[in-house]
Amino acid sequence: MFDLLEKYIMGPMTKLSQFRMIRAITFAGMTSISFTIVGSMFLILNVLPQAFPVLAGIWSVSFDKITNVYMLANSATIGCIAVYFLIATAFEYARILSEEDEIDIKPVNAVLMAVMALFICIPQIGVVDGVISLLNDAESGLFSGWTVSSSGPARFGATGIFCAFIIAWFSVRIYALCVEKNIVIKLPDVVPDGVARSFTALIPGFLVAIVCMLIQVAFMMFGTDFYSFIAIPFGFVVNIVDTLPGILFIYFLIHALWLVGIHGATIVTSPLTAIALSNLVVNADGGAAIWAGEFNNAFVTVGGSGATLGLTILMVAIAKSEQLKAIGKAEIVPALFNINEPLIFGLPIVYNPALAVPFMLAPMASAAIAYLAISTHFIPAVLVQMPWPTPVGLGAFISCGGSFTAALVAILGAVVATLIYFPFFKKYDKQLCEEEAAKLAAE
């Protein structure tokens, strides 16, 4: 089994994770999470009366009167999340090219070019009375080419994340190519670095602008635009991720990688962060997307990858093996906050056939429970980005806008995961006890 995992999963996924653009996107996802948490905390103020109707009267004379003030934090974070992703991705991608290929490009210049490219690609244009014009449609909120929503320019939000990745990629590549081919303006050494750097970026900046204009015109000729075109494959991927088979495949892949020593959670979920954040916006508007926010840590990987909180409790409570008891006592506190690397590598779970099956099955079972609960509207969908180390129950409560039922579903998933581990744990505990007794006898 481990040979198959190494050949068909570990190898391809490891190669994928080493692609420079994937590394840049992963960096962007990790650095943007803190801003989405900030925005989500203010969103909680809006949704609390829905979870606790008794608060409606208090809210009507207090927070409801200043909603437009405190929701500015939400608009400036989740409402503009594509901009954060663009900046972080362009910066990291430029840094990687600069360090690994020794190309003399400056990340700050790369970021500024990417932002310029974004602003050129966003507006919608079309031919009006024989003239290429910025489109207007008041009914759909389109003014001078810009679609405006309640939280600001619509394409600054989660719907523009995939486009931000593409824009960051080609703008940085054009910049790097110009520097590599020496298509830049070089000033004498006596010129201050700041001035010289700005002139170095001049020709690449012009090329980036021209390419973006050509992209706009090319898509206009087919009656569409860059963002509308990219929305097609993006929507396809989102729909796959939001199915039960899609969810189960994600968790199979994560834990299959873990079993051969690869950090599956980072490799698999980081590229999917864009979808999780996009779905947060969908759910905040009344949707019921499954893969949103911290669905993973709120409902599935309770105790860490493999949903090992229950396993840790079993080790502390009923293990007869001294080894299991010792590891369980060391792991119990981190497990409460969804941290279990000491367990994965210390028990170990990696390359351990005795625990491989429940390690994959337990999170898939808890994911299925959460999926069914949300898809049947038994509990609200995730609409708040909570800090990932939040303990079981509390994380689901916060993520779903203050839903006690969601907390119970998360606890139920943890219980089911524990029951899956139980027979495998008992057998493994017995095996270790026999080995420990044999060792004592030999001594």
Side-chain angles (χ1 to χ4, degrees):
M1 181 186 72
F2 288 115
D3 288 342
L4 290 173
L5 292 178
E6 287 182 345
K7 182 177 180 180
Y8 294 107
I9 295 180
M10 177 183 173
M13 292 302 295
T14 301
K15 290 180 181 177
L16 177 65
S17 69
Q18 293 305 309
F19 285 150
R20 292 165 175 175
M21 193 60 191
I22 295 296
R23 287 156 56 193
I25 291 172
T26 299
F27 172 85
M30 294 172 66
T31 54
S32 300
I33 287 295
S34 58
F35 296 99
T36 61
I37 292 175
V38 170
S40 292
M41 292 303 103
F42 288 97
L43 180 62
I44 289 178
L45 288 175
N46 259 14
V47 301
L48 272 179
Q50 300 173 27
F52 306 101
V54 68
L55 298 176
I58 300 173
W59 253 240
S60 65
V61 296
S62 57
F63 290 109
D64 288 352
K65 295 184 180 297
I66 58 171
T67 296
N68 290 328
V69 176
Y70 67 75
M71 283 300 287
L72 287 174
N74 184 270
S75 300
T77 51
I78 295 176
C80 297
I81 194 62
V83 180
Y84 291 91
F85 267 89
L86 174 91
I87 292 171
T89 303
F91 180 91
E92 181 66 6
Y93 191 41
R95 187 197 64 78
I96 291 171
L97 293 179
S98 175
E99 293 183 1
E100 297 182 5
D101 285 355
E102 298 182 350
I103 303 173
D104 188 22
I105 58 175
K106 308 300 180 184
V108 65
N109 283 346
V111 168
L112 294 176
M113 287 184 204
V115 171
M116 176 188 69
L118 178 78
F119 290 156
I120 295 175
C121 289
I122 282 180
Q124 298 178 51
I125 61 175
V127 178
V128 179
D129 297 328
V131 178
I132 296 179
S133 307
L134 295 171
L135 298 180
N136 291 279
D137 185 357
E139 291 186 4
S140 60
L142 180 63
F143 302 97
S144 297
W146 290 71
T147 302
V148 181
S149 66
S150 58
S151 59
R155 290 177 172 181
F156 278 7
T159 56
I161 290 178
F162 268 35
C163 294
F165 293 154
I166 297 172
I167 290 170
W169 172 75
F170 75 69
S171 59
V172 174
R173 288 305 310 179
I174 290 173
Y175 178 26
L177 182 63
C178 287
V179 173
E180 279 188 300
K181 301 299 181 182
N182 205 27
I183 310 173
V184 294
I185 298 175
K186 287 189 175 182
L187 297 181
D189 294 339
V190 295
V191 177
D193 286 344
V195 177
R197 193 161 49 239
S198 63
F199 273 86
T200 302
L202 193 58
I203 293 177
F206 268 111
L207 288 177
V208 169
I210 292 170
V211 168
C212 292
M213 293 174 194
L214 292 175
I215 288 173
Q216 281 279 44
V217 173
F219 280 105
M220 181 202 69
M221 292 173 64
F222 289 96
T224 183
D225 62 87
F226 176 61
Y227 276 75
S228 299
F229 179 78
I230 297 300
I232 298 172
F234 177 71
F236 178 72
V237 174
V238 170
N239 290 335
I240 290 177
V241 171
D242 230 31
T243 64
L244 183 56
I247 292 285
L248 294 180
F249 179 72
I250 287 172
Y251 286 105
F252 167 77
L253 202 56
I254 289 172
H255 294 89
L257 287 169
W258 264 125
L259 286 173
V260 289
I262 302 296
H263 200 303
T266 297
I267 290 178
V268 177
T269 62
S270 292
L272 297 177
T273 300
I275 296 175
L277 295 178
S278 175
N279 284 341
L280 270 184
V281 179
V282 171
N283 293 345
D285 292 335
I290 309 297
W291 186 262
E294 281 294 342
F295 170 84
N296 178 51
N297 287 299
F299 291 102
V300 185
T301 55
V302 174
S305 293
T308 55
L309 178 61
L311 173 62
T312 307
I313 293 173
L314 291 174
M315 291 166 64
V316 173
I318 65 172
K320 295 179 180 178
S321 162
E322 294 300 323
Q323 176 185 332
L324 291 182
K325 283 183 180 179
I327 295 174
K329 289 176 182 178
E331 168 61 20
I332 188 65
V333 174
L336 293 174
F337 299 95
N338 301 329
I339 300 169
N340 70 343
E341 277 79 0
L343 193 68
I344 289 178
F345 295 105
L347 185 57
I349 290 175
V350 172
Y351 285 106
N352 187 344
L355 296 174
V357 172
F359 184 73
M360 287 195 290
L361 287 183
M364 293 172 72
S366 54
I369 290 170
Y371 178 93
L372 294 172
I374 294 173
S375 61
T376 58
H377 304 290
F378 181 70
I379 63 173
V382 174
L383 49 81
V384 173
Q385 181 80 17
M386 62 131 192
W388 67 266
T390 309
V392 59
L394 180 59
F397 175 82
I398 295 173
S399 293
C400 295
S403 170
F404 285 110
T405 310
L408 293 175
V409 168
I411 294 170
L412 173 62
V415 170
V416 170
T418 305
L419 293 175
I420 291 173
Y421 273 108
F422 182 75
F424 295 91
F425 166 79
K426 289 291 290 182
K427 184 176 181 180
Y428 189 51
D429 185 38
K430 181 180 178 182
Q431 174 190 331
L432 290 181
C433 284
E434 292 174 352
E435 291 176 1
E436 290 170 4
K439 185 178 179 180
L440 286 174
E443 293 175 351

